């Protein structure tokens, strides 16, 4: 478990070098505490916080896919493009899910 934790921390450090992950991490530093205030039940807090963490998880997985594809070779290949595009689409879907959950929570709280 000690080695696994070290690998995980190394992955987070590597992710920090990616602009998108860094931006999402900074947004999470703001949104996670706000989720404690905005959510009225533990389920609402879990949905709000979980949707933010989900974006970060998907971004790390997308970066892992892109890194593995780049490791294979720099030449353009249709399957490489397809894999990278699908990773990007996964990030987009997680962001839209997060925005939908937060939008619904804000509407429910203030409307």
């Amino acid at each position: 478990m000690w080695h696994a934790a070290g690998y995980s921390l190394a992955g987070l450090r590597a992710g920090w070098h990616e602009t998108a992950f860094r931006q999402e991490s900074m947004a999470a530093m703001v949104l996670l505490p706000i989720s404690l205030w905005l959510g009225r039940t533990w389920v609402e807090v879990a949905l709000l916080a979980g949707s933010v963490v989900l974006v970060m998880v998907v971004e790390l997985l997308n970066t892992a896919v892109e890194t593995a594809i780049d490791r294979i070779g720099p030449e353009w290949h249709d399957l490489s493009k397809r894999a990278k595009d699908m990773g990007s689409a996964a990030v987009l879907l997680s962001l839209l899910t997060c925005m939908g959950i937060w939008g619904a929570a804000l509407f429910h709280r203030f409307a």
Side-chain angles (χ1 to χ4, degrees), residues 29-107:
M29 288 182 222
V30 174
L31 292 174
L32 291 176
I34 292 174
S35 70
L36 296 170
W37 170 79
L38 184 60
R40 294 185 179 182
T41 67
W42 73 268
V43 174
E44 291 177 359
V45 172
L47 279 171
L48 291 165
S51 68
V52 171
V53 173
L54 175 68
V55 170
M56 296 170 63
V57 168
V58 174
E59 185 65 53
L60 285 171
L61 292 172
N62 179 47
T63 300
V65 168
E66 290 182 350
T67 302
I69 295 296
D70 290 345
R71 168 64 176 94
I72 292 169
E75 66 278 350
W76 186 91
H77 192 280
D78 188 52
L79 292 176
S80 297
K81 179 185 181 326
R82 188 173 176 189
K84 288 184 173 191
D85 289 349
M86 286 192 280
S88 180
V91 173
L92 174 64
L93 290 176
S94 70
L95 282 167
L96 291 174
T97 300
C98 184
M99 289 170 32
I101 290 170
W102 277 82
L106 289 167
F107 179 78

